[in-house]
């Protein structure tokens, strides 16, 4: 039997549940990458407890986006690029090009993050740690039952990150009362913070990671719309829990008067909260976040380059090649190329309004692609509001090109 990350619908209830749970955590852990940790730490230091309001708003927008993305893809049983080509020939391939280009560059950053994580956790040289971590990701996709391995790895590492960060949050003793107050009545409000963390949570390949993996569960079509909707919300809530715990862990240290390193605010916060053990825990969290993002970026990017007719063996080797290429660039240059990361961030800002707009059009005008399903108008409405915000994100992304 070929080694595979098969996207063919699973045939047993147990396998279907595993794939659906894997889809939830693949989306969540794809969002929780090195950039996620850096963004959260940076804005916690600059905004303090007021950052809680930005987190709450971003969660609402993220839910609106993911509920629509999962619903359209789940009910149609088709990938985003396939739906794009059905709406307007060629649009799907443009979307695929943006996703793959951005995913490849960001995956170099993910491998770099795994190297930094192993350095903080074990004292291993970053290039060695990054290469070994990439090898572990390759092993997942080459295993005999790669789909099951993928699901289990992202679930276990996702839970590990949450538990470890939660322990540090308790140790740092954050001002929870002030956080609750400023969630609804912040002392200061930063629009840039909101739009940045929205783009980092549901932008680029992350938008489709869980929804594309969900297709492998076989729970698609109008009869599974409810289960798909619940799964989409849970995926964002898992991401939200991690964001809140990381925010509280760092806020407790900042509120206590500790001075954090400008180069590594998250790592220095963990160390201030729990000493040397805290630094090791931070390394574990960063490594787990980076490794799951490597897996998520590779899986999702390749899903945009393949179809259901693609052989399982070819899909598996394409995913492995994607990871090896990402790791190879990092090992050679020893860092994530900063300019390319900024350029990939611009791609992310363009992917969201384009891809999301296509899916909303399918929900609005193409019931034939939804197997006759009558799409909920309330869901379409909140989707349109979220899409208008993505246009602003896209506009900001285009302006960023001038800085390059």
């Amino acid at each position: 039997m070929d080694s595979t990350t098969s996207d063919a619908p699973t045939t047993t209830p147990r396998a279907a549940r595993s794939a659906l749970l894997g889809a939830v955590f693949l989306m969540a852990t794809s969002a929780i990458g090195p950039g996620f940790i850096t963004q959260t730490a940076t804005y916690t230091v600059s905004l303090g407890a007021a950052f809680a309001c930005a987190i709450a708003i971003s969660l609402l927008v993220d839910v609106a986006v993911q509920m629509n993305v999962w619903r359209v893809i789940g009910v149609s049983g088709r990938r985003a690029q396939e739906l794009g080509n059905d709406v307007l020939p060629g649009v799907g391939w443009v979307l695929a090009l943006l996703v793959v280009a951005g995913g490849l560059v960001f995956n170099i950053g993910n491998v770099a993050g795994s190297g930094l994580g192993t350095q903080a956790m074990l004292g291993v040289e970053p290039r060695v740690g990054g290469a070994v971590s990439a090898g572990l990701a390759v092993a997942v996709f080459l295993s005999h039952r790669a789909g099951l391995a993928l699901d289990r790895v992202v679930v276990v590492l996702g839970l590990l990150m949450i538990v470890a960060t939660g322990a540090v949050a308790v140790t740092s003793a954050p001002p929870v009362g002030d956080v609750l107050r400023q969630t609804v009545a912040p002392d200061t409000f930063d629009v840039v913070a909101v739009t940045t963390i929205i783009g980092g949570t549901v932008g680029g390949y992350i938008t489709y990671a869980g929804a594309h993996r969900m297709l492998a569960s076989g729970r698609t079509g109008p009869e599974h719309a409810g289960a798909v909707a619940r799964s989409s919300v849970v995926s964002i809530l898992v991401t939200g829990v991690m964001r809140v715990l990381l925010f509280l862990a760092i806020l407790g240290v900042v509120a206590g008067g500790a001075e954090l390193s400008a180069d590594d605010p998250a790592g220095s916060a963990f160390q201030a909260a729990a000493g040397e053990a805290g630094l090791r825990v931070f390394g574990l969290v960063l490594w787990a976040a980076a490794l799951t993002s490597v897996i998520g970026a590779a899986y999702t990017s390749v899903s945009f380059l393949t179809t259901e007719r693609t052989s399982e063996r070819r899909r598996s080797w394409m995913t492995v090649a994607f990871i090896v290429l990402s790791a190879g660039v990092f090992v050679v240059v020893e860092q994530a190329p900063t300019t390319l990361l900024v350029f990939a961030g611009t791609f992310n800002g363009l992917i969201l309004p384009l891809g999301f707009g296509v899916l909303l059009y399918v929900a609005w005008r193409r019931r034939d692609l939804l197997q006759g399903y009558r799409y909920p108008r309330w869901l379409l409405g909140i989707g349109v509001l979220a899409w208008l915000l993505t246009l602003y994100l896209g506009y900001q992304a285009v302006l960023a090109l001038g800085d390059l």
Side-chain angles (χ1 to χ4, degrees), residues 224-271:
H224 293 294
V228 168
R230 288 189 294 272
S231 298
S232 65
V233 174
V234 172
S235 68
I236 286 296
L237 292 181
V238 170
T239 307
V241 166
M242 181 61 188
R243 174 92 71 184
V244 169
L245 290 176
L246 183 60
F247 160 63
L248 292 176
I250 298 170
L251 179 64
V253 173
V254 173
E259 290 290 333
L260 303 185
S261 166
D263 295 330
D264 184 16
S268 58
F270 274 58
Q271 188 170 21

Short mmCIF file of all heavy atoms in Angstrom, two decimals, residues 224-271:
data_model
loop_
_atom_site.label_atom_id
_atom_site.label_comp_id
_atom_site.label_asym_id
_atom_site.label_seq_id
_atom_site.Cartn_x
_atom_site.Cartn_y
_atom_site.Cartn_z
N HIS A 224 -24.91 17.07 6.57
CA HIS A 224 -23.91 17.24 7.63
C HIS A 224 -23.61 18.71 7.91
O HIS A 224 -22.61 19.02 8.57
CB HIS A 224 -22.61 16.52 7.24
CG HIS A 224 -22.74 15.04 7.19
ND1 HIS A 224 -22.99 14.27 8.30
CD2 HIS A 224 -22.67 14.17 6.15
CE1 HIS A 224 -23.06 13.00 7.96
NE2 HIS A 224 -22.87 12.90 6.66
N ALA A 225 -24.46 19.63 7.45
CA ALA A 225 -24.20 21.06 7.62
C ALA A 225 -24.07 21.45 9.08
O ALA A 225 -23.22 22.27 9.46
CB ALA A 225 -25.31 21.87 6.95
N GLY A 226 -24.89 20.87 9.95
CA GLY A 226 -24.84 21.21 11.36
C GLY A 226 -23.53 20.80 12.01
O GLY A 226 -22.91 21.57 12.76
N ALA A 227 -23.08 19.57 11.72
CA ALA A 227 -21.82 19.09 12.29
C ALA A 227 -20.63 19.91 11.78
O ALA A 227 -19.70 20.21 12.53
CB ALA A 227 -21.62 17.61 11.93
N VAL A 228 -20.70 20.29 10.52
CA VAL A 228 -19.64 21.11 9.94
C VAL A 228 -19.59 22.47 10.64
O VAL A 228 -18.50 22.97 10.99
CB VAL A 228 -19.89 21.31 8.43
CG1 VAL A 228 -18.98 22.40 7.87
CG2 VAL A 228 -19.65 19.99 7.68
N ALA A 229 -20.75 23.06 10.89
CA ALA A 229 -20.81 24.37 11.56
C ALA A 229 -20.22 24.29 12.96
O ALA A 229 -19.44 25.16 13.37
CB ALA A 229 -22.25 24.86 11.62
N ARG A 230 -20.57 23.25 13.70
CA ARG A 230 -20.04 23.10 15.06
C ARG A 230 -18.52 22.94 15.05
O ARG A 230 -17.81 23.52 15.88
CB ARG A 230 -20.70 21.92 15.76
CG ARG A 230 -22.16 22.17 16.13
CD ARG A 230 -22.70 21.06 17.01
NE ARG A 230 -22.77 19.78 16.29
CZ ARG A 230 -23.81 19.40 15.57
NH1 ARG A 230 -24.87 20.18 15.45
NH2 ARG A 230 -23.81 18.21 14.96
N SER A 231 -18.03 22.16 14.11
CA SER A 231 -16.59 21.93 14.03
C SER A 231 -15.84 23.22 13.71
O SER A 231 -14.75 23.47 14.25
CB SER A 231 -16.29 20.87 12.96
OG SER A 231 -16.88 19.64 13.29
N SER A 232 -16.40 24.05 12.85
CA SER A 232 -15.74 25.30 12.48
C SER A 232 -15.63 26.23 13.69
O SER A 232 -14.60 26.88 13.89
CB SER A 232 -16.50 26.00 11.35
OG SER A 232 -17.80 26.40 11.78
N VAL A 233 -16.67 26.28 14.50
CA VAL A 233 -16.64 27.13 15.69
C VAL A 233 -15.63 26.60 16.70
O VAL A 233 -14.86 27.36 17.30
CB VAL A 233 -18.04 27.24 16.32
CG1 VAL A 233 -17.97 28.01 17.65
CG2 VAL A 233 -19.00 27.93 15.38
N VAL A 234 -15.62 25.29 16.90
CA VAL A 234 -14.68 24.70 17.85
C VAL A 234 -13.24 24.98 17.45
O VAL A 234 -12.38 25.25 18.30
CB VAL A 234 -14.92 23.17 17.98
CG1 VAL A 234 -13.82 22.53 18.81
CG2 VAL A 234 -16.27 22.89 18.61
N SER A 235 -12.95 24.93 16.15
CA SER A 235 -11.58 25.17 15.69
C SER A 235 -11.11 26.57 16.08
O SER A 235 -9.97 26.75 16.52
CB SER A 235 -11.49 24.97 14.17
OG SER A 235 -12.20 25.98 13.47
N ILE A 236 -11.99 27.56 15.93
CA ILE A 236 -11.63 28.93 16.30
C ILE A 236 -11.54 29.07 17.81
O ILE A 236 -10.67 29.78 18.35
CB ILE A 236 -12.65 29.93 15.72
CG1 ILE A 236 -12.42 30.08 14.21
CG2 ILE A 236 -12.52 31.29 16.38
CD1 ILE A 236 -11.08 30.67 13.83
N LEU A 237 -12.41 28.40 18.54
CA LEU A 237 -12.37 28.48 20.00
C LEU A 237 -11.08 27.89 20.55
O LEU A 237 -10.52 28.39 21.53
CB LEU A 237 -13.59 27.77 20.60
CG LEU A 237 -14.94 28.45 20.36
CD1 LEU A 237 -16.06 27.67 21.02
CD2 LEU A 237 -14.92 29.90 20.86
N VAL A 238 -10.60 26.81 19.93
CA VAL A 238 -9.32 26.23 20.36
C VAL A 238 -8.21 27.25 20.16
O VAL A 238 -7.36 27.46 21.05
CB VAL A 238 -9.01 24.93 19.57
CG1 VAL A 238 -7.57 24.47 19.85
CG2 VAL A 238 -9.99 23.84 19.94
N THR A 239 -8.21 27.90 19.00
CA THR A 239 -7.22 28.95 18.75
C THR A 239 -7.37 30.09 19.75
O THR A 239 -6.38 30.61 20.26
CB THR A 239 -7.39 29.51 17.32
OG1 THR A 239 -7.36 28.44 16.38
CG2 THR A 239 -6.29 30.50 16.98
N GLY A 240 -8.63 30.46 20.03
CA GLY A 240 -8.90 31.54 20.97
C GLY A 240 -8.42 31.23 22.37
O GLY A 240 -7.88 32.10 23.07
N VAL A 241 -8.63 30.00 22.81
CA VAL A 241 -8.16 29.59 24.15
C VAL A 241 -6.65 29.75 24.25
O VAL A 241 -6.13 30.27 25.24
CB VAL A 241 -8.58 28.13 24.44
CG1 VAL A 241 -7.83 27.59 25.66
CG2 VAL A 241 -10.08 28.05 24.68
N MET A 242 -5.94 29.31 23.22
CA MET A 242 -4.49 29.43 23.24
C MET A 242 -4.08 30.90 23.25
O MET A 242 -3.15 31.30 23.99
CB MET A 242 -3.90 28.72 22.01
CG MET A 242 -2.38 28.76 21.94
SD MET A 242 -1.59 27.95 23.35
CE MET A 242 0.13 28.40 23.06
N ARG A 243 -4.74 31.73 22.46
CA ARG A 243 -4.42 33.16 22.41
C ARG A 243 -4.63 33.80 23.79
O ARG A 243 -3.80 34.57 24.27
CB ARG A 243 -5.29 33.87 21.37
CG ARG A 243 -5.14 35.38 21.33
CD ARG A 243 -4.11 35.86 20.36
NE ARG A 243 -4.53 35.66 18.99
CZ ARG A 243 -3.75 35.93 17.93
NH1 ARG A 243 -2.53 36.38 18.12
NH2 ARG A 243 -4.19 35.70 16.71
N VAL A 244 -5.76 33.49 24.42
CA VAL A 244 -6.08 34.07 25.73
C VAL A 244 -5.08 33.62 26.78
O VAL A 244 -4.60 34.43 27.60
CB VAL A 244 -7.52 33.69 26.14
CG1 VAL A 244 -7.78 34.07 27.60
CG2 VAL A 244 -8.54 34.39 25.24
N LEU A 245 -4.74 32.33 26.80
CA LEU A 245 -3.80 31.83 27.81
C LEU A 245 -2.41 32.45 27.62
O LEU A 245 -1.75 32.82 28.60
CB LEU A 245 -3.71 30.30 27.72
CG LEU A 245 -4.94 29.52 28.19
CD1 LEU A 245 -4.75 28.04 27.96
CD2 LEU A 245 -5.22 29.81 29.67
N LEU A 246 -1.98 32.57 26.36
CA LEU A 246 -0.68 33.19 26.09
C LEU A 246 -0.70 34.66 26.51
O LEU A 246 0.26 35.16 27.12
CB LEU A 246 -0.35 33.06 24.60
CG LEU A 246 1.01 33.58 24.14
CD1 LEU A 246 2.14 32.86 24.86
CD2 LEU A 246 1.15 33.41 22.62
N PHE A 247 -1.78 35.33 26.21
CA PHE A 247 -1.96 36.74 26.60
C PHE A 247 -1.90 36.88 28.12
O PHE A 247 -1.19 37.76 28.65
CB PHE A 247 -3.30 37.22 26.04
CG PHE A 247 -3.86 38.45 26.70
CD1 PHE A 247 -3.19 39.67 26.65
CD2 PHE A 247 -5.08 38.40 27.36
CE1 PHE A 247 -3.73 40.81 27.26
CE2 PHE A 247 -5.62 39.52 27.96
CZ PHE A 247 -4.95 40.73 27.91
N LEU A 248 -2.61 36.04 28.83
CA LEU A 248 -2.63 36.12 30.29
C LEU A 248 -1.27 35.80 30.89
O LEU A 248 -0.83 36.44 31.87
CB LEU A 248 -3.68 35.16 30.86
CG LEU A 248 -5.15 35.51 30.57
CD1 LEU A 248 -6.07 34.43 31.09
CD2 LEU A 248 -5.52 36.87 31.18
N ALA A 249 -0.58 34.81 30.32
CA ALA A 249 0.74 34.44 30.83
C ALA A 249 1.72 35.61 30.74
O ALA A 249 2.46 35.90 31.68
CB ALA A 249 1.28 33.24 30.06
N ILE A 250 1.70 36.31 29.61
CA ILE A 250 2.61 37.42 29.40
C ILE A 250 2.15 38.66 30.17
O ILE A 250 2.96 39.38 30.76
CB ILE A 250 2.74 37.73 27.90
CG1 ILE A 250 3.32 36.51 27.17
CG2 ILE A 250 3.61 38.97 27.65
CD1 ILE A 250 3.28 36.61 25.67
N LEU A 251 0.84 38.88 30.20
CA LEU A 251 0.30 40.05 30.90
C LEU A 251 0.63 40.01 32.39
O LEU A 251 0.95 41.05 32.99
CB LEU A 251 -1.21 40.13 30.72
CG LEU A 251 -1.91 41.31 31.41
CD1 LEU A 251 -1.42 42.63 30.81
CD2 LEU A 251 -3.42 41.20 31.28
N GLY A 252 0.56 38.82 33.00
CA GLY A 252 0.87 38.72 34.42
C GLY A 252 2.29 39.18 34.72
O GLY A 252 2.54 39.86 35.73
N VAL A 253 3.21 38.84 33.84
CA VAL A 253 4.61 39.23 34.02
C VAL A 253 4.76 40.74 33.82
O VAL A 253 5.43 41.42 34.59
CB VAL A 253 5.51 38.46 33.02
CG1 VAL A 253 6.94 38.98 33.08
CG2 VAL A 253 5.47 36.97 33.33
N VAL A 254 4.12 41.27 32.75
CA VAL A 254 4.21 42.70 32.46
C VAL A 254 3.59 43.52 33.60
O VAL A 254 4.16 44.52 34.04
CB VAL A 254 3.50 43.02 31.13
CG1 VAL A 254 3.42 44.53 30.91
CG2 VAL A 254 4.22 42.36 29.97
N ALA A 255 2.43 43.08 34.08
CA ALA A 255 1.76 43.79 35.17
C ALA A 255 2.59 43.76 36.44
O ALA A 255 2.49 44.67 37.29
CB ALA A 255 0.39 43.17 35.43
N GLY A 256 3.43 42.74 36.58
CA GLY A 256 4.29 42.65 37.76
C GLY A 256 5.52 43.53 37.68
O GLY A 256 6.31 43.57 38.62
N GLY A 257 5.68 44.22 36.56
CA GLY A 257 6.78 45.17 36.42
C GLY A 257 8.03 44.63 35.77
O GLY A 257 9.06 45.32 35.72
N ALA A 258 7.99 43.42 35.26
CA ALA A 258 9.18 42.83 34.63
C ALA A 258 9.46 43.50 33.29
O ALA A 258 8.54 43.86 32.55
CB ALA A 258 8.98 41.33 34.43
N GLU A 259 10.74 43.67 32.98
CA GLU A 259 11.16 44.20 31.69
C GLU A 259 11.43 43.03 30.75
O GLU A 259 12.26 42.17 31.05
CB GLU A 259 12.42 45.05 31.86
CG GLU A 259 12.20 46.37 32.59
CD GLU A 259 11.40 47.35 31.74
OE1 GLU A 259 11.47 47.26 30.50
OE2 GLU A 259 10.72 48.21 32.33
N LEU A 260 10.73 43.02 29.62
CA LEU A 260 10.88 41.91 28.67
C LEU A 260 11.84 42.27 27.55
O LEU A 260 11.97 43.44 27.17
CB LEU A 260 9.52 41.53 28.09
CG LEU A 260 8.42 41.15 29.09
CD1 LEU A 260 7.18 40.68 28.34
CD2 LEU A 260 8.91 40.08 30.04
N SER A 261 12.49 41.26 27.02
CA SER A 261 13.40 41.47 25.91
C SER A 261 12.63 41.89 24.67
O SER A 261 11.61 41.28 24.32
CB SER A 261 14.17 40.18 25.63
OG SER A 261 14.83 40.24 24.38
N ALA A 262 13.13 42.91 24.00
CA ALA A 262 12.46 43.37 22.77
C ALA A 262 12.60 42.34 21.66
O ALA A 262 11.74 42.23 20.79
CB ALA A 262 13.05 44.70 22.32
N ASP A 263 13.68 41.56 21.68
CA ASP A 263 13.92 40.56 20.64
C ASP A 263 13.10 39.29 20.86
O ASP A 263 12.75 38.61 19.90
CB ASP A 263 15.41 40.19 20.59
CG ASP A 263 16.28 41.36 20.15
OD1 ASP A 263 15.78 42.20 19.39
OD2 ASP A 263 17.44 41.42 20.60
N ASP A 264 12.79 38.99 22.12
CA ASP A 264 12.05 37.77 22.42
C ASP A 264 11.13 38.00 23.62
O ASP A 264 11.35 37.48 24.72
CB ASP A 264 13.02 36.62 22.73
CG ASP A 264 12.31 35.29 22.95
OD1 ASP A 264 11.12 35.17 22.58
OD2 ASP A 264 12.94 34.36 23.53
N PRO A 265 10.07 38.80 23.42
CA PRO A 265 9.19 39.13 24.56
C PRO A 265 8.49 37.91 25.16
O PRO A 265 8.36 37.82 26.38
CB PRO A 265 8.18 40.11 23.95
CG PRO A 265 8.21 39.85 22.48
CD PRO A 265 9.62 39.45 22.18
N ALA A 266 8.07 36.98 24.33
CA ALA A 266 7.36 35.81 24.84
C ALA A 266 8.29 34.91 25.65
O ALA A 266 7.96 34.48 26.77
CB ALA A 266 6.74 35.01 23.69
N GLY A 267 9.47 34.63 25.12
CA GLY A 267 10.42 33.78 25.84
C GLY A 267 10.85 34.39 27.15
O GLY A 267 10.92 33.69 28.18
N SER A 268 11.14 35.70 27.16
CA SER A 268 11.57 36.35 28.40
C SER A 268 10.43 36.42 29.41
O SER A 268 10.66 36.37 30.61
CB SER A 268 12.11 37.75 28.10
OG SER A 268 11.13 38.55 27.46
N ALA A 269 9.17 36.49 28.92
CA ALA A 269 8.02 36.49 29.83
C ALA A 269 7.87 35.14 30.51
O ALA A 269 7.64 35.06 31.73
CB ALA A 269 6.75 36.84 29.06
N PHE A 270 8.00 34.07 29.76
CA PHE A 270 7.92 32.73 30.35
C PHE A 270 9.05 32.53 31.37
O PHE A 270 8.83 31.94 32.43
CB PHE A 270 8.00 31.66 29.25
CG PHE A 270 6.69 31.32 28.62
CD1 PHE A 270 5.92 32.29 27.99
CD2 PHE A 270 6.21 30.02 28.65
CE1 PHE A 270 4.71 31.98 27.40
CE2 PHE A 270 5.00 29.69 28.06
CZ PHE A 270 4.24 30.67 27.43
N GLN A 271 10.23 33.03 31.05
CA GLN A 271 11.35 32.88 31.95
C GLN A 271 11.14 33.69 33.22
O GLN A 271 11.46 33.23 34.33
CB GLN A 271 12.64 33.31 31.26
CG GLN A 271 13.91 33.01 32.07
CD GLN A 271 15.17 33.22 31.25
OE1 GLN A 271 15.16 33.94 30.25
NE2 GLN A 271 16.26 32.61 31.68
#
